[in-house]
Amino acid sequence: MRVLVIGSGAREHALLLALRKDPQVTALWVAPGNAGTARVAEQHDVDVTSGADVVALAREVRADLVVIGPEVPLVLGVADALRAAGIVCFGPSKDAARIEGSKAFAKEVMAAAGVRTAASETVDSPAHLDAALDRFGPPAGDPAWVVKDDRLAAGKGVVVTADRGIARAHAAELLEAGHPVLLESYLDGPEVSLFCVVDGETVVPLLPAQDFKRVGEGDTGPNTGGMGAYAPLPWLPDEVYRDIVANIVEPVAAELVRRDSPFCGLLYVGLAITAGGPAVVEFNCRFGDPETQAVLALLESPLGQLLYAAGTGKLAELGELRWREGAAVTVVLAAENYPGRPRVGDVVTGAEAEGVLHAGTARRDDGEVVSSGGRVLSVVGTGADLAAARAQAYELMRSIRLPGSHFRGDIALLAAEGRISV
């Protein structure tokens, strides 16, 4: 099987490493890739948002399977272009990708499927903002306003704050840019990220994970694309995991089929495990980053065969997935000033070690690896338990040098110490 992966982040680096282990995968390409993926697959520079360009590349390399990593090409319909050209693709259609591309659409689907989620209201005019904020102000015991960009925002379009002024300023900025705003009630409880490979109504769940969106330790500071993750979740009861699959993911997949927008790809559900049970925070239409780096580090089943089965409508024929014992922890190394405008162009040393996955990196003409984005590297540690995986990840992180960089030192700490419970 010849596989082309679309994307340039640590998620795509993790996908390539897992695909390389599949005995049926004979050749790998990535577009556009980064300095780390160049060591795993042949790289091509292509406009990943252009269906015509991606189709042309897939034909050039004679790809048997195209795996689309990022959400933007999916929301723009690149998967549709590949399928129209007769090329097997892992990634949902433009219609199905609206589950991430429009938060209002996702709410509509969840309501039709009877899925529990936060109460919400869409605001599309500054004239309606203040009244809506008053309706969604924190009631007694509720800590925050939740203000979201209705469109794609790379994980950074959400503000959760107890300060009405901050909530209003974020909403007003989005409205001024022409973006509808989604106000939500706050969901309290530990968060879970669950990836499911989906082919119509067939759902194959992967290991549950937890990610860390805030830039600072103790979940402080602004939201980012993700500063770390771990899997599995020792505190999540099996019955809650099964409940999420049976009563949230499967009904949503069935509802998309009912709407003639069947989902084929990776359906990601982010949840809060509240006192009243699991409730959906968001759906995404692709593998999440940085959770993918941790989850795939533990997968023993052949990834290429799994994704190809979904892309060809044969997912139901696969048996149960096999997983490595133990745990995995991902810690993200970010550039100076991230999640603001990051400083780039600095030399990164120590980035060639096993367990270091590249994201915002490039290779200069002199051969040096330099930073080229906000999230520069993901460091993945594995071990018999979370404590051992954390120790390996942070030991590896100490061997990396990037001027002005920062990372969180508390990824998976509470779970490793047994301080998270449902």
Side-chain angles (χ1 to χ4, degrees), residues 340-399:
R341 184 174 181 177
R343 171 176 155 177
V344 298
D346 291 308
V347 172
V348 186
T349 58
E352 308 296 338
E354 184 178 354
V356 178
L357 306 184
H358 289 231
T361 65
R363 194 172 294 277
R364 285 193 323 209
D365 291 343
D366 64 1
E368 294 282 8
V369 173
V370 297
S371 59
S372 63
R375 291 188 296 172
V376 181
L377 302 170
S378 285
V379 173
V380 182
T382 56
D385 54 25
L386 283 176
R390 271 177 47 82
Q392 186 183 90
Y394 283 108
E395 181 181 359
L396 188 52
M397 184 67 82
R398 284 192 291 271
S399 68

Side-chain angles (χ1 to χ4, degrees), residues 28-75:
L28 284 170
W29 290 267
V30 63
N34 57 48
T37 59
R39 300 169 60 198
V40 186
E42 183 179 318
Q43 301 204 155
H44 290 264
D45 190 12
V46 70
D47 179 1
V48 301
T49 66
S50 167
D53 289 359
V54 173
V55 166
L57 176 59
R59 284 175 169 161
E60 177 187 333
V61 301
R62 294 180 292 117
D64 299 303
L65 170 67
V66 178
V67 179
I68 302 177
E71 63 274 21
V72 173
L74 294 167
V75 169

Side-chain angles (χ1 to χ4, degrees), residues 19-361:
L19 287 164
R20 188 172 64 174
K21 297 176 185 175
D22 187 329
Q24 289 192 14
V25 173
T26 55
L28 284 170
W29 290 267
V30 63
N34 57 48
T37 59
R39 300 169 60 198
V40 186
E42 183 179 318
Q43 301 204 155
H44 290 264
D45 190 12
V46 70
D47 179 1
V48 301
T49 66
S50 167
D53 289 359
V54 173
V55 166
L57 176 59
R59 284 175 169 161
E60 177 187 333
V61 301
R62 294 180 292 117
D64 299 303
L65 170 67
V66 178
V67 179
I68 302 177
E71 63 274 21
V72 173
L74 294 167
V75 169
L76 293 177
V78 172
D80 303 77
L82 287 161
R83 292 192 178 100
I87 300 167
V88 178
C89 175
F90 182 80
S93 67
K94 181 178 181 178
D95 274 352
R98 287 186 295 160
I99 197 80
E100 177 172 2
S102 169
K103 295 177 181 65
F105 174 77
K107 289 288 187 183
E108 181 185 315
V109 169
M110 284 186 274
V115 168
R116 186 168 179 264
T117 185
S120 66
E121 180 177 338
T122 300
V123 181
D124 57 10
S125 168
H128 303 147
L129 177 58
D130 285 309
L133 283 170
D134 290 342
R135 285 191 290 274
F136 278 82
D142 216 14
W145 279 272
V146 180
V147 183
K148 295 183 175 181
D149 190 338
D150 184 55
R151 305 180 188 180
L152 296 179
K156 294 178 281 187
V158 181
V159 163
V160 180
T161 177
D163 186 318
R164 190 182 191 280
I166 293 174
R168 190 186 191 287
H170 181 61
E173 181 181 358
L174 293 172
L175 290 169
E176 186 177 349
H179 294 201
V181 169
L182 192 74
L183 300 181
E184 285 189 342
S185 59
Y186 181 77
L187 295 175
D188 197 12
E191 292 195 1
V192 172
S193 298
L194 182 61
F195 298 167
C196 295
V197 177
V198 175
D199 164 22
E201 294 194 41
T202 302
V203 174
V204 175
L206 307 188
L207 289 180
Q210 186 179 64
D211 77 332
F212 295 76
K213 288 293 187 189
R214 298 295 186 98
V215 71
E217 296 191 12
D219 289 328
T220 57
N223 270 0
T224 70
M227 294 299 294
Y230 67 94
L233 308 182
W235 49 267
L236 184 70
D238 285 345
E239 61 268 24
V240 177
Y241 172 77
R242 291 192 295 270
D243 177 46
I244 292 167
V245 176
N247 296 314
I248 293 177
V249 183
E250 290 179 349
V252 164
E255 176 62 21
L256 289 171
V257 170
R258 192 188 69 78
R259 291 168 178 253
D260 294 323
S261 299
F263 195 98
C264 173
L266 196 290
L267 187 59
Y268 164 119
V269 56
L271 311 112
I273 310 301
T274 71
V280 175
V281 175
E282 64 177 349
F283 274 100
N284 291 337
C285 63
R286 38 72 195 184
F287 280 100
D289 184 337
E291 299 100 316
T292 298
Q293 294 88 293
V295 171
L296 292 187
L298 300 173
L299 180 66
E300 290 192 338
S301 294
L303 180 64
Q305 295 170 52
L306 172 65
L307 305 188
Y308 189 80
T312 54
K314 298 179 179 178
L315 185 61
E317 299 175 14
L318 285 186
E320 278 195 26
L321 299 181
R322 301 189 310 277
W323 297 95
R324 171 180 172 179
E325 294 291 330
V329 172
T330 300
V331 183
V332 171
L333 181 71
E336 182 176 341
N337 199 44
Y338 179 79
R341 184 174 181 177
R343 171 176 155 177
V344 298
D346 291 308
V347 172
V348 186
T349 58
E352 308 296 338
E354 184 178 354
V356 178
L357 306 184
H358 289 231
T361 65

